[in-house]
């Protein structure tokens, strides 16, 4: 009974799960049909739980009996009331130009700027490593990534550029009106020397630096009236980002599969070769000259599996050793007190935006035909909410919404005024042995904060500036990062937030929906993460 209470925090017996129904019976098909009609974009695992039908059977009913297909959501730029009319007017203008000159599209010089980040987006769903055992491939992302701003032009004859925005010290900078006009005069004009631009058009989007009066005068002096921009008479819509398609997030370089041979219609794989690239099955099919279905069968025949790349924070200098030292200290505390993790108040802050990341691979709409499910994302006018949460005693402490960004004065007010109020429902005898944990942002490490924590918690707090130092760039060691943040954002972004208050209310509801047992199990799982850190030569999280 003592062991049961220590492991589950309850003396009640764990309910035995009901065996899920199998078989494509008439009743099961009718239940699935009604479920899809009621909520067509529900996930397979959630629908399987609600209906009590195993996932394999559910897939077969959806695909073979109901003849439905899982269509993915498409993200588009949010349109304002007059944007659609502007798009139509611009399209009418282009069509009119095509009637006058069928080769009009070859007379346009398209231009745009883009940011390339050192932690460039990686589509994990398209990044697979085919191997017999999971190699735990890691893709490091820096905590404070650097970016490069680049300008390019594109027309039927060639690509103009790239031009990188740098200052006099060769440091990369962002675009403003002065720098943009310098690109036109010092780089773009010389590139046009020797070209006949008498009937060429120049296109740019509606960025502020593009629509400044001095910029428009400069372009008209060069191209006269043949300028397509938001500020001109023949304007292009400022929201037409989908007309210039972005890349799909795939890594541009793909390394061929080593040891790949085709003999007697079979794909021979060298098991001793660990793939340094991420070739897709389509690429393997093209290189081997056999069908994609056959490639999949042969991979499975050779007992190869598709493992996804794992994203984690980039480590610097002594980061890994600092993690090891912290985990050793944590394991020592657990040896002397098995419930040590339940005595720690884990805290962290997070930012929720109205254009939050949506995992399109997990969002499907089951239908007979593609209904073109769209979600508008207003990236040009972002709204954000900063929130602080904690985990302690099987409960979520908070959420507390921060006005503006977090600085030292606001954080001091949270510790002195807000935190005691959030903890008032926790019994005093549980709060007295409590440890306090915080991350490593600058507001946490200020001297006034360190002094307050030393007076309030003595030696019972964990942070970058404390006696028990929290290792930098270690989100995988706190349950607020590896569990709570993702769970909340999945619920909040299931539908696009309308206002800040709507976003706050969704966060409150998502926090209230998480049960105590789940939180306790997540907190106790930190012990396994401490142990796992000693079993590899480099941190997997």
């Amino acid at each position: 009974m003592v062991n049961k209470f220590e492991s589950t925090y309850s003396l009640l017996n764990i309910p035995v799960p009901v065996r899920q129904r199998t078989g494509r019976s008439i009743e099961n098909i009718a239940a699935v049909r009604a479920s899809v009609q009621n909520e067509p974009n529900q996930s397979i695992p959630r629908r399987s739980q609600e209906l009590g039908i195993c996932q394999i059977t559910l897939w077969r009913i959806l695909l073979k009996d109901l003849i439905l297909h899982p269509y993915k959501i498409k993200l588009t730029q949010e349109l304002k009331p007059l944007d659609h009319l502007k798009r139509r007017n611009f399209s009418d203008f282009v069509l009119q130009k095509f009637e006058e000159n069928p080769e009009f599209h070859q007379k346009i010089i398209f231009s745009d700027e883009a940011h390339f980040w050192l932690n460039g987006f990686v589509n994990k769903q398209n990044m697979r490593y085919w191997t017999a055992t999971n190699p735990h491939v890691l893709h490091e992302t820096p905590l404070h990534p650097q970016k490069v701003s680049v300008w390019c032009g594109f027309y039927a004859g060639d690509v103009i550029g790239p031009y990188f925005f740098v200052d006099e010290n060769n440091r990369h900078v962002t675009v403003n009106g002065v720098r943009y006009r310098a690109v036109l005069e010092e780089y773009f004009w010389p590139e046009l020397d020797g070209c006949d631009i008498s009937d060429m058009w120049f296109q740019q989007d509606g960025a502020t630096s593009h629509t400044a009066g001095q910029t428009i005068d400069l372009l008209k002096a060069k191209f006269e009236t043949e300028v397509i921009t938001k500020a001109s008479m023949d304007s292009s819509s400022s929201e037409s980002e989908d007309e210039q398609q972005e890349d799909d997030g795939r890594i541009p370089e793909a390394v061929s599969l080593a040891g790949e041979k085709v003999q007697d219609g079979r794909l021979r794989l060298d098991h001793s070769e660990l793939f340094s690239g991420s070739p897709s099955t389509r690429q393997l099919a093209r290189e081997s000259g056999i069908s994609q279905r056959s490639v999949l069968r042969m991979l499975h025949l050779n007992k190869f599996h598709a493992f996804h790349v794992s994203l984690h924070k980039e480590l610097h200098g002594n980061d890994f050793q600092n993690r090891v030292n912290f985990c050793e200290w944590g394991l020592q505390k657990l040896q002397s007190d098995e419930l040590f993790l339940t005595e720690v108040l884990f805290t962290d802050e997070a930012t929720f935006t109205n254009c939050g990341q949506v995992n399109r691979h997990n969002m499907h709409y089951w239908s007979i035909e593609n209904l073109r499910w769209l979600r508008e994302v207003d990236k040009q006018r972002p709204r954000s909410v900063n929130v602080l949460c904690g985990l302690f005693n099987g409960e979520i402490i908070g959420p507390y919404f921060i006005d503006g960004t977090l600085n030292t004065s606001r954080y001091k007010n949270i510790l002195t005024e807000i935190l005691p109020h959030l903890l008032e429902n926790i019994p005093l005898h549980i709060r007295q042995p409590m440890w306090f944990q915080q991350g490593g942002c600058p507001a946490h490490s200020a001297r006034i904060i360190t002094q307050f924590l030393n007076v309030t918690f003595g030696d019972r707090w964990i942070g970058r500036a404390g006696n028990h130092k929290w290792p930098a760039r270690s989100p995988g060691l706190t349950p607020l990062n590896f569990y709570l943040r993702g769970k909340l954002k999945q619920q909040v972004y299931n539908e696009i937030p309308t206002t800040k208050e709507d976003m706050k209310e969704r966060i409150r509801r998502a926090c209230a929906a998480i049960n105590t047992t789940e939180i306790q199990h997540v907190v106790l799982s930190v012990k396994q993460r401490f142990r796992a850190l000693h079993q590899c030569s480099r941190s997997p999280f």
Side-chain angles (χ1 to χ4, degrees), residues 146-195:
Q146 298 177 346
K147 67 178 179 181
V148 173
S149 298
V150 59
W151 177 93
C152 274
F154 178 84
Y155 70 107
D158 199 0
V159 175
I160 303 175
Y163 176 87
F164 300 97
F165 291 90
V166 294
D167 60 11
E168 58 276 6
N169 297 321
N170 204 33
R171 294 177 300 186
H172 293 282
V173 294
T174 55
V175 187
N176 58 26
V178 175
R179 295 179 182 131
Y180 182 65
R181 289 188 289 274
V183 173
L184 297 178
E185 294 181 300
E186 300 174 9
Y187 179 79
F188 186 38
W189 291 174
E191 290 289 327
L192 295 177
D193 290 344
C195 299

Side-chain angles (χ1 to χ4, degrees), residues 199-435:
D199 57 347
M200 294 292 289
W201 288 73
F202 179 77
Q203 180 274 340
Q204 62 179 9
D205 61 17
T208 305
S209 59
H210 298 176
T211 57
Q214 297 180 24
T215 304
I216 298 301
D217 294 340
L218 185 64
L219 290 172
K220 288 185 176 180
K222 188 72 172 181
F223 293 95
E224 298 180 352
T225 60
E226 297 176 342
V227 178
I228 303 174
T229 181
K230 183 178 179 181
S232 66
M233 182 178 298
D234 303 319
S235 63
S236 63
S237 171
S238 63
E239 308 290 349
S240 297
E241 292 185 359
D242 60 336
E243 294 181 4
Q244 296 185 8
Q245 295 292 335
E246 298 179 352
D247 63 87
D248 62 354
R250 296 285 300 274
I251 288 184
E253 297 181 0
V255 182
S256 298
L257 204 59
E260 176 185 331
K261 299 179 181 180
V262 180
Q263 297 176 358
D264 301 328
R266 296 174 62 87
L267 183 64
R268 304 296 182 183
L269 300 173
D270 184 1
H271 287 264
S272 64
E273 197 68 45
L274 181 63
F275 304 147
S276 58
S278 55
S280 65
T281 53
R282 295 183 182 88
Q283 180 181 341
L284 294 177
R286 289 194 300 267
E287 293 179 356
S288 60
I290 58 180
S291 68
Q292 184 180 355
R293 186 181 295 272
S294 298
V295 169
L296 282 170
R297 288 174 179 164
M298 294 172 188
L299 287 169
H300 292 308
L301 182 64
N302 285 270
K303 297 182 180 181
F304 275 54
H305 307 280
F307 296 101
H308 289 298
V309 64
S310 178
L311 306 183
H312 77 116
K313 289 292 182 183
E314 182 182 34
L315 300 183
H316 299 164
N318 295 325
D319 285 350
F320 181 72
Q321 186 59 45
N322 292 338
R323 285 189 178 187
V324 172
N325 296 339
F326 177 77
C327 291
E328 289 177 350
W329 173 82
L331 290 173
Q332 290 176 1
K333 297 294 293 184
L334 287 167
Q335 287 181 354
S336 59
D337 181 6
E338 293 183 354
L339 300 180
F340 167 69
L341 291 173
T342 65
E343 300 171 355
V344 178
L345 169 58
F346 293 93
T347 65
D348 202 3
E349 303 84 25
T351 301
F352 291 76
T353 65
N354 63 316
C355 52
Q357 182 70 31
V358 176
N359 189 344
R360 295 176 58 244
H361 292 273
N362 289 340
M363 298 190 69
H364 296 89
Y365 192 99
W366 287 92
S367 176
I368 297 177
E369 59 182 1
N370 193 344
L371 301 180
R372 310 296 176 187
W373 184 21
L374 303 178
R375 167 172 288 190
E376 294 184 340
V377 180
D378 189 5
K379 293 185 177 180
Q380 294 184 340
R381 302 170 185 84
R383 299 183 299 274
S384 63
V385 171
N386 294 321
V387 58
L388 178 140
C389 278
L391 291 181
F392 179 65
N393 194 40
E395 298 182 19
I396 295 181
I397 308 302
Y400 172 74
F401 299 100
I402 305 169
D403 294 330
T405 56
L406 185 68
N407 55 29
T408 302
S409 60
R410 291 192 178 104
Y411 190 58
K412 176 67 179 300
N413 179 68
I414 291 174
L415 295 179
T416 56
E417 304 294 337
I418 306 302
L419 187 59
H421 175 71
L422 296 176
L423 293 171
E424 61 183 6
N425 293 329
I426 305 295
L428 181 61
H429 70 278
I430 296 179
R431 278 184 286 161
Q432 284 179 338
M434 181 179 72
W435 284 69

Side-chain angles (χ1 to χ4, degrees), residues 434-446:
M434 181 179 72
W435 284 69
F436 180 79
Q437 180 273 338
Q438 62 179 8
C441 79
H444 296 175
S445 304

